[in-house]
Amino acid sequence: MTRSVLSIGDLSASEIGAVLDLALESKRRSGPRGSELAGKTALLIFQKPSLRTRVSFELAVSNLGGRPLYLSPPEVGIGERESPEDVGSVAGRYCDLIVCRTFDQTVLERLAASSGVPVINALSDWEHPCQALADVLTIREHGGTSGRCLAYVGDGNNVARSLAAAAAGEGMHVRLASPAGYELDASSVEDAALRARESGGSVSTMSDPEEAVFGADVVYTDTWTSMGQELETKQRHEAFVGYQVDVNLVAKASPDAGVMHCLPAHRGEEISDEVLDGPQSIVLDQAENRLHAQQALMAWLFG
């Protein structure tokens, strides 16, 4: 059966560990990165624009000896001009891998079911597994994961969903702080908690950002209003009052806590300039690690 990664749940905790071990090894090694995609073409289908996702995937495919082929939103029109099944069945005849950045998670599932080649979720409204791999890789590099505390402050969104599961599987104690109505759904919390029970970690939810951040080793936030939610901006800004990751909130964490944000950031909203650009920020390491984590994931899939 063709292996796809549409969700962080498609990878066991041990498989995530193997991918991250490979990423660290590749990152430390100079010279050629690998040949797992030699002679292969990776089709990058984007319904949402991106800086980090596109650049990191194109470089990663090239570093593995493959050829990246990018299609912008107007060029495909999945679900409008063509169905996901038609796109997948045709693309699978041409290409060896599909990387898709989309809105609806079911688009990925329908692509994977029809293409006959691996499909990687480069972001959907439901999950962001590649971001979570890069995040955990970054935490590994900055003090390790097992037994440490990760505080996520903000919207219980796709990033939070994938991050909670990946970090819990690494044995971290994950705390999720969100205002009422914006919490991570109970099913996703339970999925992460199951991984935590197997790894020695834990998952807890709360509404108080200070409670979540107190003594934490890592403080993480994401935008309050994601792409496609622009009509909710005013409502969300009102709901998230008090949830900004600023110097006062970070002061409640461990003195050497790292601060993370998946970017792009809305400066002055979910995070202050002083924190984002400050000495505890590991955001640029996190952004760089998108390349290394995705490269390792593709090498693992084809290796």
Side-chain angles (χ1 to χ4, degrees):
M1 179 181 294
T2 301
R3 187 73 184 270
S4 292
V5 179
L6 311 183
S7 155
I8 204 71
D10 290 331
L11 300 170
S12 68
S14 62
E15 288 172 333
I16 290 175
V19 170
L20 297 183
D21 288 344
L22 186 59
L24 285 170
E25 177 188 347
S26 174
K27 186 175 180 179
R28 293 168 183 154
R29 188 173 64 239
S30 60
R33 272 73 168 190
S35 58
E36 288 84 356
L37 293 182
K40 300 184 185 300
T41 299
L43 181 63
L44 278 57
I45 302 175
F46 279 41
Q47 286 188 299
K48 289 185 174 184
S50 174
L51 165 63
R52 283 154 296 279
T53 302
R54 179 178 176 183
V55 173
S56 59
F57 262 111
E58 287 202 16
L59 287 174
V61 171
S62 296
N63 287 344
L64 294 174
R67 179 192 177 198
L69 179 60
Y70 174 80
L71 290 180
S72 64
E75 292 176 289
V76 181
I78 297 180
E80 297 175 0
R81 182 170 174 270
E82 294 198 58
S83 70
E85 288 80 7
D86 287 346
V87 173
S89 58
V90 171
R93 297 290 184 103
Y94 296 146
C95 303
D96 304 282
L97 167 69
I98 297 173
V99 177
C100 185
R101 179 178 169 91
T102 187
F103 290 91
D104 190 347
Q105 179 77 9
T106 61
V107 168
L108 292 159
E109 295 167 0
R110 292 164 67 183
L111 276 174
S114 60
S115 67
V117 300
V119 174
I120 293 177
N121 180 355
L123 178 138
S124 73
D125 286 348
W126 182 251
E127 278 224 37
H128 201 350
C130 291
Q131 180 67 57
L133 292 175
D135 294 340
V136 176
L137 175 62
T138 306
I139 297 169
R140 276 192 176 196
E141 291 181 313
H142 288 270
T145 52
S146 182
R148 301 179 78 220
C149 176
L150 165 65
Y152 177 91
V153 177
D155 190 21
N157 59 12
N158 51 354
V159 170
R161 184 171 289 108
S162 296
L163 175 67
E170 287 267 309
M172 297 195 76
H173 300 290
V174 181
R175 303 174 189 162
L176 304 164
S178 305
Y182 297 92
E183 307 95 332
L184 187 61
D185 64 285
S187 176
S188 296
V189 172
E190 178 54 34
D191 288 344
L194 178 60
R195 289 188 177 235
R197 287 194 288 271
E198 296 171 348
S199 68
S202 64
V203 179
S204 54
T205 60
M206 57 206 66
S207 60
D208 185 352
E210 292 190 4
E211 180 185 357
V213 167
F214 184 78
D217 301 292
V218 180
V219 179
Y220 195 120
T221 191
D222 186 17
T223 179
W224 296 336
T225 307
S226 298
M227 198 179 305
Q229 297 173 333
E230 289 80 7
L231 295 178
E232 303 175 23
T233 298
K234 183 177 183 296
Q235 171 188 337
R236 285 175 170 269
H237 282 190
E238 293 172 354
F240 282 91
V241 170
Y243 283 80
Q244 184 184 92
V245 175
D246 57 17
V247 291
N248 293 324
L249 187 62
V250 173
K252 308 290 184 184
S254 171
D256 59 351
V259 176
M260 302 180 73
H261 191 304
C262 58
L263 300 179
H266 295 172
R267 290 170 175 266
E269 293 182 12
E270 74 275 2
I271 192 167
S272 67
D273 286 341
E274 293 85 353
V275 171
L276 187 62
D277 301 324
Q280 289 176 261
S281 173
I282 54 176
V283 169
L284 293 181
D285 291 342
Q286 182 185 359
E288 177 191 343
N289 279 336
R290 289 290 302 279
L291 169 63
H292 303 296
Q294 289 159 190
Q295 187 169 291
L297 176 62
M298 290 186 290
W300 180 80
L301 279 173
F302 284 88

